[in-house]
Amino acid sequence: MDRFEIRGGNRLAGRLTIKGSKNAALPLMTGVLLTDQPFVLRDVPELADIANMRRLLAELGCSVEYTADNDVDSPGGVLTMRAVDETVSHARYEVVRTMRASISALGPMLARRGAARVSLPGGCAIGERPVDLHLRGLTALGADITLDSGDIVARIPRAGGRAGRLKGARVFMGGPFGSTVLGTANVMSAATLAEGTTIIECAACEPEIVDLANMLNAMGAKVEGAGSPRVTIHGVKELGPVDHRIIPDRIEAGTYMCAAAITCGDITLDNCPVDALMAHMDRLHHMGVTMQFDASSDPMRTTCRITAGRVLNPIEVTTQPHPGFPTDLQAQLMAVLCLADGNSVITERIFTERFLHVAELGRMGAQLYRQGSTVIVSGVRRLTGAPVMASDLRASACLVLAGLAAHGLTTVNRVYHLDRGYERMEDRLRALGADIQRTSEKEAQTGIASGMA
Ligand code: EPU
């Protein structure tokens, strides 16, 4: 198992290009199941989750070819796929358990193949993650859904002895917390091939949903209103080929903004989706971080320079569905706030248990007090390096950020979590001046053994 060894204290400065978005790429990739035509995605990052999705789609009868772009500073590689065997319809537990986003295959596969069997994803480190709204939405479109041996079994009832089609309907996709991102993606994708019009109320407004709608429309779908809480989909009989460039990763960009903030750094991000990061940038602005970007360029792919001084102001922040502050940046911002000049308050409203990083930050000298879904962060003058354990993707990024600023050596164990969502993070941070190495546990143990001899 790999780990990062970070000697903190270096000020980060330089330039890097933001990669294509993982969370856009995953549901977009399952769009290949909606057609038998060629399907090309560009700026696809080279990440463990993307590799898992490629494996799943290959198992579901697609030819899959990925040409990586080995330049550490390119936005990503090219993925060329095509559904060649449309008789398969089972997404097995062995694949689904490695990646919850596998659930995105359900809607597209059902809509085109008339049947889908997808293992029910379990919980994960950030909490219970139900899929009831996905199923409610597909049921409203006429799917017959049951649970069998841990699998979701969905099928479209046959009509007059012939294969049936999903039927357009008005679907409410909200839960107690707000909308669901992958649930909206699933229902929206399935509805493109339904008979008649579907209206999704309380749809997720995330930029990844807009990117999906744009790709589906390029395939011949008729999706209107994506990015707003009401999305209308006029069903079509079939979809055609596509060649689509994925939006840049707002969470990767937001994380490197935090890296500038926590190291009093000066980082310029190219291919930066500032339009999708307004809430995050607003919080950083209140902390005293300066962000400059060219307002006349494409706000989803602009250049943004982030500079931070020694004093960071404390703030309050609550995670919300887009365009509110994203849960996927809560842990990283918490690392920065550990060094702010006063008390900050962070409230998590999307995944209320997403605080596994709190105890690990405490090992580095952070002063954090958790009450339910709120954490009070009492800023300290400095963090000290320590061995810490990564528990999930964004918590890992938080610990790396803390390590960059901490005094002494921080060892972040289990960085495979990080590899799910950040491509070559150590190389990119090193290029900005960080003292960070990837070592394997075996090497580290050898180091301990020789140190003891
Ligand atoms: N929820 C339900 N029922 C459902 C679906 C969701 O109650 O049927 C609840 C969840 O428990 C949660 C809230 O709704 O409280 C929001 O969950 P959502 O469905 O929006 O999450 P998701 O679509 O499964 C995506 C991202 C997550 C990100 C969330 C929220 C992907 C692959 N994953 O998950 O990304 O945190 O949206 O923005 O797009 C990450 O990248 O680290 C990550 C976890």
Side-chain angles (χ1 to χ4, degrees):
M1 242 181 261
D2 287 359
R3 55 175 65 177
F4 281 175
E5 290 182 355
I6 309 164
R7 285 193 186 278
N10 291 4
R11 175 174 184 265
L12 298 196
R15 197 167 192 123
L16 60 85
T17 301
I18 296 304
K19 302 272 176 188
S21 161
K22 164 184 89 81
N23 286 351
L26 292 169
L28 264 70
M29 285 167 74
T30 62
V32 69
L33 300 168
L34 288 165
T35 177
D36 60 358
Q37 296 297 301
F39 185 94
V40 179
L41 292 177
R42 297 178 191 274
D43 291 1
V44 179
E46 197 170 3
L47 299 168
D49 273 9
I50 302 285
N52 280 331
M53 184 60 93
R54 294 203 305 259
R55 189 155 67 98
L56 173 66
L57 293 170
E59 281 202 12
L60 294 176
C62 301
S63 64
V64 178
E65 197 184 305
Y66 180 64
T67 313
D69 192 326
N70 291 325
D71 179 357
V72 68
D73 216 25
S74 101
V78 181
L79 182 62
T80 307
M81 300 193 283
R82 188 165 190 166
V84 286
D85 176 3
E86 296 187 276
T87 61
V88 204
S89 59
H90 188 187
R92 294 179 307 123
Y93 177 65
E94 286 65 31
V95 187
V96 174
R97 77 185 169 86
T98 60
M99 187 191 46
R100 292 187 41 84
S102 309
I103 189 73
S104 313
L106 180 64
M109 193 154 55
L110 174 70
R112 170 131 179 128
R113 302 185 181 180
R117 186 176 188 113
V118 177
S119 178
L120 185 65
C124 72
I126 65 176
E128 212 185 306
R129 296 186 63 185
V131 292
D132 54 312
L133 296 170
H134 301 233
L135 305 187
R136 190 207 287 177
L138 294 172
T139 304
L141 297 187
D144 180 4
I145 299 186
T146 52
L147 193 66
D148 177 39
S149 312
D151 291 342
I152 301 161
V153 182
R155 56 176 203 92
I156 305 176
R158 294 177 75 80
R162 285 185 293 129
R165 265 175 89 187
L166 291 172
K167 305 249 177 324
R170 191 169 188 143
V171 184
F172 182 75
M173 293 291 294
F177 47 82
S179 50
T180 159
V181 181
L182 291 180
T184 300
N186 240 331
V187 174
M188 186 166 97
S189 298
T192 59
L193 291 178
E195 207 177 322
T197 297
T198 298
I199 299 174
I200 304 178
E201 302 282 7
C202 201
C205 302
E206 270 66 6
E208 294 76 18
I209 294 295
V210 177
D211 202 27
L212 176 63
N214 288 341
M215 182 197 78
L216 293 170
N217 285 341
M219 294 169 76
K222 293 194 166 72
V223 181
E224 296 160 6
S228 78
R230 177 182 290 171
V231 178
T232 304
I233 306 117
H234 304 286
V236 296
K237 278 217 161 116
E238 48 183 29
L239 296 176
V242 75
D243 186 331
H244 179 84
R245 184 179 178 202
I246 288 169
I247 54 169
D249 195 314
R250 62 191 168 108
I251 307 303
E252 189 194 40
T255 302
Y256 287 112
M257 288 177 175
C258 288
I262 204 168
T263 64
C264 314
D266 181 352
I267 299 179
T268 299
L269 302 176
D270 291 318
N271 201 35
C272 181
V274 293
D275 208 34
L277 277 165
M278 284 299 155
H280 183 56
M281 291 169 71
D282 175 71
R283 294 296 79 199
L284 288 174
H285 173 72
H286 278 84
M287 290 164 68
V289 176
T290 305
M291 283 148 294
Q292 294 163 283
F293 59 93
D294 176 4
S296 66
S297 62
D298 177 354
M300 280 302 282
R301 297 182 187 278
T302 189
T303 293
C304 182
R305 180 177 176 192
I306 306 103
T307 44
R310 295 224 158 268
V311 180
L312 294 169
N313 306 317
I315 53 157
E316 283 184 30
V317 60
T318 299
T319 65
Q320 286 168 345
H322 191 77
F325 185 87
T327 174
D328 291 343
L329 284 169
Q330 175 256 112
Q332 299 90 315
L333 196 70
M334 185 183 293
V336 186
L337 290 173
C338 287
L339 292 169
D341 193 15
N343 294 333
S344 299
V345 183
I346 300 183
T347 303
E348 174 58 62
R349 290 232 189 278
I350 307 294
F351 296 111
T352 48
E353 295 300 315
R354 196 177 200 176
F355 285 125
L356 289 173
H357 42 287
V358 167
E360 300 301 298
L361 286 172
R363 293 175 47 72
M364 300 177 73
Q367 297 285 318
L368 305 167
Y369 310 94
R370 179 178 168 194
Q371 277 199 331
S373 59
T374 295
V375 174
I376 296 168
V377 185
S378 186
V380 293
R381 290 183 81 83
R382 76 173 193 185
L383 295 171
T384 42
V388 286
M389 193 66 80
S391 52
D392 77 75
L393 169 55
R394 307 304 171 187
S396 314
C398 152
L399 298 175
V400 171
L401 291 170
L404 291 173
H407 190 77
L409 177 68
T410 297
T411 309
V412 182
N413 293 290
R414 299 195 183 171
V415 293
Y416 64 86
H417 288 294
L418 200 84
D419 295 334
R420 290 185 37 226
Y422 293 91
E423 190 178 325
R424 294 161 71 180
M425 190 186 222
E426 71 281 24
D427 295 340
R428 284 155 82 71
L429 288 173
R430 208 176 312 108
L432 296 170
D435 183 345
I436 178 169
Q437 307 296 334
R438 179 186 289 258
T439 58
S440 72
E441 205 158 284
K442 213 165 141 204
E443 281 170 39
Q445 275 165 3
T446 314
I448 293 168
S450 56
M452 284 164 66

